[in-house]
Amino acid sequence: MKPFTFLTRAGLASAIAVTASLAMAAPRTDLTLGQQLEPPHLDPTSAAAGAIDAVVYSNIFEGLTRFASDGAVIPGLARSWEISSDGLTYTFHLAKGVKFHDGSSMDAEDVKFSLDRARAEDSANAQKALFAGIASVDVVDPMTVKVTLKAPQGNFLFNMAWGDAVIVAPESIENIKTMPVGTGAFKFANWVQGDHIDIVKNPDYWGTPAKLDKVTFKFISDPTAAFAAVMAEDVQAFGAFPAPENLPQFDADPRFKVLVGSTEGETILAINNKMPPFDNVKVREAVAHAINRQEIIDGAQFGYGTPIGTHFAPHNPDYVDLTALSNYDPEKSKALLKEAGVKTPIKVKMTLPPPSYARRGGEIIAAQLRQVGIEPQIENVEWAQWLEGTFRGKDFALTIVSHTEPMDIGIYARPDYYFQYDNPAFQELMTSLDFETDPAKRSALLKTAQDIIAKDYVNAYLFELPYLTVANAKIEGMWVNAPTQAADMTAVYWTE
Amino acid sequence: MVRYTLKRLVSLVISLAVASVVIFLAIEVLPGDPAAYMLGVNAQEDTLAALRDQLGLNGTAWARYSTWIGGMLQGDFGTSYTYRTPVAEMIGDRMQVSLPLALMALTLSTVIAFPAGILAASRRGSFADVLIMGITQLGVAIPNFWFAMLMVLVFAINLRWFGAGGFAGWEAGLLPGLKSLTLPAIALALPQASILARIMRSSLLDTLTEDFIRTARAKGLSRAQALRRHALRNALIPVLTIIGLQFSFLLAGAIIIENVFFLPGLGRLIFQAISSRDLIVVESVVMLLVFAVVMVNFAVEIAYALVDPRLRASR
Amino acid sequence: MSDPRTHINPKGVDLRLWRQVFSSRSLALGLVLTLIFTGAALLSLIWTPYDIETLNIANKIKTPSAAHWLGTDHFGRDILSMIMVGARTSIAVAVVAVGIGMTFGVPLGLFAAARKGSVLDELIMRANDLIFAFPALLIAIMITATFGASAVNAIIAIGVFNIPVFARLTRSGALTLWQREFVLAARVAGKNAARISFEHILPNVTNLLIVQGTIQFSLGILAEAGLSYVGLGAQPPIPSWGRMLADSQTMISFAPHMALFPGLAILLTVLGLNLMGDGLRDLFDPKLRRARS
């Protein structure tokens, strides 16, 4: 990273120049954005860390398609495409004049390289399943690439919009982790590990150029430090602000504005469906009725969050409100437990990963469940332990987690998935959804799917995680929602 | 003396070898697969296996231990699993924060403790003595992370004199860098200064009862004069030992304070590495810290032996 | 000053001793503070102003009032009740950790002193050095990361680092005693080293141990607070002062009372124990008292 020190100096000089010229009312062109998590490295195609996408998605790297801020899939590097009538072949027409940040041009060969690399035998792509349906990738001409699927796939364009499917170049792949070279409106400039990453405007961008000259991502994992950094204006915006309890203070301060948007994160109390007594649907229903969602949203989230009754995002047009199926009714809960023959009090293991929705929510849920005779034994764990013990080892009865992947109701069709829900009818439904391309029928299938899991009380559905952003009042163009984990800075600007 | 030094040296090497085994074994039993952590919930078995292979996690324990130690001996600390950069480089980066922070805290604590301890000792029983001893009692008892939280509340959030945390980076200039280390250094220095002041005072008082001071007093020196001219030098030995120990403690022990102020130092590096199961980083950094402490202890022992030949025989 | 050994005799209650306890301001203050917190911890076993297991979200983050003397926390729990029960956690962890340190450290120290210069002595002392050389907090973090965060593991993590403290202290105390005439007499009388260690050496290092125990006790409380603060101590719903501070951290700007009182509780408890330790040392060691007061 040494060669880039001069860039930092240059950036600093421009920052000083900008500050000096503020008096003349020229809008600022630099911005420091706070984020909670620092990426481990900067290759979005070889790690699951959302923190990587939160820096590079759309800023540095682009894919064939991309997500718009409302979650719609729109053209990215592929400006248009044709789908064959059997749904098996996608022919993408690439944008012209696209150059990687190292000056080499982006063409069909790079697309083939990227997709083949992601689905290769030794691929380290964390979402390899996205590419599993691809049979072959062929270069038609430098501007055209043809992707052939093994079977029709209703959501292929959606899959290609993920950060894990961005286009990379073979020339720069070796050092991608510390020196990412993409096609985006910003170029990577400098990384002070443990503190911040700088990206600067790409003057040769093929599309609408970025409005800011420089963006600094400053990593502040501690919520208190995050609050103080915003208050002290060390950072001018903070994406996915970790402490909802502080938002009223920002709201009351004219210097700031608070943006409350949606994420794809269904926050659930996951139940181990194979572990007695939770293998009994009556017991799971009892858990659902013992939970007071509003109290959890108020206590853990300080009011931010939309109650959900099934595993589906409420802002999705296909969402069905099923919260009434699991209304708060402790008496009914006790009756159900009695009916199921559960001898209360019963001690069960509840693991809680680090985010505050889980830790605080867990304490509240534990207190609520104690009222009906279920006594969760709380075990706070780190993500690494959660992944090994809870997720892979399935050594838990209850756990709280937010499923942030978009459109992930399909996980209920995987009997080996950590909550171990095994319902052949549901699995069949999901298979037919895969092959269904008619929008109306797809919608109907999705609604049925939501209904099935809600009535099976697979998990207790709590709330949709909100996307909370605090920004200087003079900043415009930030994403309000988070259809994917990204901080797209390409359209952000200062009003003064 | 040579024999004594050699004996110490042998036991130093054995200590380090034992320490390396202990560290390695501790890491071995640490639950959590680094590859699984890196690839997240949707990773497939074959992807995981490929990554484990890339990281060199598939060898036998013995093979991995000897690779690690062999590398360490040649100054190669390995490559971080998650960051994919050499661990030595990461340590170097973090040292840019931890070393100045430890030095600042130590300087601060010495600058406060020396005059306070001397004043308290020379005016034993006076109001100043009682006040200083009272404050140092508080300083020893206060949880430093709580003190740090209160300082952030007052100086960063309310008064906005300092940033609430984070490190400006030395490339931003000396002053911004020092400014971001000021509050953390104060939080670290307070308990250290209190301990040091108390030791300074009592070791001065101890020396004051010794014969040569009585002689000096008999020659007509005032208590304060005797203290300054004679006792101080002798009282310094235990004080310097404590300073040495505090320094190595400060390097690693700042972990909680680094968390409160969000500083990219060594302590936080280990904390993050443990939670992300970046085991090679944990191993190497802990080993380095143990090495530092053992070396400081060794230096202190040798220095003592040089000063006081009786120690060589008695230990 | 009287013969110091009169104070060593544990059975003879010496009126002068009690007079000294109360004539020493720091000892008296330390004793009072310690009694307050131990009392609060004991009282919490049978009574607290409010039940802390039931949450009352509607009543969250209330500043101190007549109903809630120290206010309520983010779950609407009474902070005074939380501090009382938290005292129990802190004290329990620290007591057991000191117990571990003494149980292992004292016999090791006695043994090392009895076999001074032997390979075993060297081994014990080097092992002690080694434990000292490890950054304590990091090891505690590793222990809890490995075996899971819980009060028990916090106890073990803190206790392990108490072992060398007591081993060293016992050894150095015992070494000087081995030179004393009464020990020589016992040796001449044919008693073996083990018997001498337990019959003659141990009773005479008790004072040292009590003083050091008090100090380690206070350090244990600080350590427990630190571990809980980073989330590695007692798990919810068991309250602990360190976690109360961690919970309050993001709310300190609008609810400082949530951070103030648990912090004060730690400060005052540790202060009390330290004052008591200092006072006891002065009491047990009149030479020092003469030199210091």
Side-chain angles (χ1 to χ4, degrees), chain A residues 38 40-41 48 123-129 177 192-195 219-221 228 255 382 384-385 388 391-392, chain B residues 32-33 36-48 82-84 160 164 167 171 262 264 268 274-275 277:
Chain A
E38 180 175 24
H41 56 76
S123 154
N125 198 297
Q127 309 287 347
K128 213 172 157 186
K177 286 184 169 158
V192 175
Q193 267 177 10
D195 201 65
F219 307 109
I220 306 179
S221 63
R255 293 179 295 157
E382 298 157 42
Q385 280 167 287
E388 177 159 308
F391 187 78
R392 305 183 79 81
Chain B
D33 174 9
Y37 177 77
M38 288 161 73
L39 291 175
V41 293
N42 285 350
Q44 298 173 354
E45 253 339 296
D46 56 337
T47 326
L48 280 174
T82 39
Y83 287 100
R84 302 312 291 155
R160 293 196 206 151
F167 184 60
E171 65 263 41
F262 189 67
R268 256 172 57 85
I274 289 179
S275 53
R277 293 301 180 267

Side-chain angles (χ1 to χ4, degrees), chain C residues 17-254:
Chain C
L17 188 118
W18 284 107
R19 217 173 300 130
Q20 277 158 10
V21 167
F22 288 103
S23 68
S24 156
R25 265 168 305 171
S26 70
L27 187 55
L29 182 60
L31 211 61
V32 168
L33 282 173
T34 311
L35 282 177
I36 288 176
F37 282 95
T38 348
L42 289 175
L43 181 62
S44 79
L45 286 170
I46 49 168
W47 178 83
T48 52
Y50 291 86
D51 172 26
I52 55 152
E53 294 224 344
T54 351
L55 313 183
N56 184 358
I57 307 285
N59 197 28
K60 71 178 181 211
I61 314 184
K62 292 276 186 293
T63 44
S65 64
H68 297 277
W69 289 6
L70 304 183
T72 63
D73 74 354
H74 58 304
F75 290 150
R77 290 174 297 194
D78 178 55
I79 290 179
L80 178 61
S81 310
M82 294 280 285
I83 286 181
M84 285 171 68
V85 188
R88 209 158 77 196
T89 315
S90 284
I91 291 174
V93 168
V95 164
V96 183
V98 171
I100 291 177
M102 283 195 179
T103 318
F104 292 95
V106 173
L108 282 175
L110 286 176
F111 192 82
R115 294 265 181 280
K116 178 175 125 33
S118 71
V119 179
L120 270 168
D121 174 30
E122 181 75 3
L123 214 62
I124 290 171
M125 285 298 111
R126 289 296 119 184
N128 278 328
D129 287 353
L130 204 63
I131 297 184
F132 263 133
F134 277 93
L137 187 64
L138 286 176
I139 299 310
I141 289 171
M142 274 171 69
I143 290 179
T144 45
T146 309
F147 302 106
S150 71
V152 174
N153 289 334
I155 288 173
I156 296 171
I158 300 167
V160 166
F161 288 95
N162 277 332
I163 297 175
V165 173
F166 286 105
R168 272 188 191 201
L169 181 80
T170 312
R171 180 177 179 273
S172 69
L175 278 182
T176 52
L177 288 170
W178 274 97
Q179 315 291 333
R180 296 272 291 270
E181 284 122 41
F182 68 96
V183 174
L184 288 175
R187 287 173 83 170
V188 171
K191 290 188 182 173
N192 67 17
R195 254 186 90 183
I196 295 174
S197 288
F198 283 94
E199 282 176 14
H200 299 279
I201 309 279
L202 186 57
N204 284 298
V205 293
T206 316
N207 289 338
L208 280 177
L209 292 177
I210 290 174
V211 172
Q212 194 63 37
T214 319
I215 308 281
Q216 293 308 116
F217 188 37
S218 80
L219 288 176
I221 286 187
L222 273 180
E224 192 275 337
L227 280 180
S228 305
Y229 172 75
V230 291
L232 300 173
Q235 297 294 290
I238 305 167
S240 91
W241 294 343
R243 211 184 50 256
M244 288 174 77
L245 283 179
D247 284 345
S248 73
Q249 203 168 9
T250 54
M251 303 168 203
I252 193 169
S253 50
F254 61 91

Side-chain angles (χ1 to χ4, degrees), chain A residues 318-394:
Chain A
D318 293 330
Y319 174 75
V320 194
D321 185 354
L322 296 167
T323 45
L325 282 175
S326 47
N327 60 323
Y328 176 56
D329 188 350
E331 290 315 314
K332 186 171 182 188
S333 174
K334 282 180 203 162
L336 281 162
L337 285 174
K338 210 169 183 182
E339 215 178 299
V342 175
K343 242 178 78 188
T344 54
I346 173 177
K347 288 192 175 175
V348 297
K349 177 171 172 174
M350 175 152 92
T351 58
L352 300 176
S356 71
Y357 66 73
R359 294 279 166 92
R360 282 192 209 142
E363 277 198 63
I364 299 171
I365 288 178
Q368 292 174 352
L369 289 179
R370 274 200 297 272
Q371 304 292 328
V372 301
I374 300 174
E375 296 190 351
Q377 308 294 299
I378 293 177
E379 208 171 286
N380 288 343
V381 294
E382 298 157 42
W383 278 121
Q385 280 167 287
W386 187 86
L387 279 167
E388 177 159 308
T390 305
F391 187 78
R392 305 183 79 81
K394 303 175 178 81

Side-chain angles (χ1 to χ4, degrees), chain A residues 416-485:
Chain A
D416 62 337
Y417 208 65
Y418 73 106
F419 44 74
Q420 306 187 87
Y421 171 60
D422 193 352
N423 179 350
F426 186 86
Q427 290 153 24
E428 220 165 276
L429 186 83
M430 281 293 122
T431 321
S432 50
L433 182 70
D434 267 350
F435 294 104
E436 188 53 68
T437 41
D438 177 54
K441 285 182 187 154
R442 279 184 70 86
S443 170
L445 285 172
L446 283 170
K447 284 177 177 162
T448 319
Q450 294 173 48
D451 200 52
I452 295 176
I453 56 169
K455 284 184 177 147
D456 270 346
Y457 297 97
V458 183
N459 297 311
Y461 303 99
L462 307 175
F463 58 89
E464 192 74 8
L465 203 63
Y467 186 67
L468 307 169
T469 304
V470 187
N472 190 297
K474 295 171 194 135
I475 294 174
E476 293 296 335
M478 303 272 299
W479 275 19
V480 175
N481 301 317
T484 184
Q485 211 156 9

Side-chain angles (χ1 to χ4, degrees), chain B residues 20 34 70 75 144 237 251 286 315:
Chain B
S20 74
N144 62 3
I237 299 169
L251 267 186
V286 174
R315 282 206 62 176

Side-chain angles (χ1 to χ4, degrees), chain A residues 182-205:
Chain A
T183 55
F186 287 98
K187 296 195 283 191
F188 170 77
N190 178 40
W191 184 1
V192 175
Q193 267 177 10
D195 201 65
H196 68 268
I197 289 176
D198 295 327
I199 59 174
V200 294
K201 183 177 178 172
N202 172 10
D204 305 319
Y205 186 57

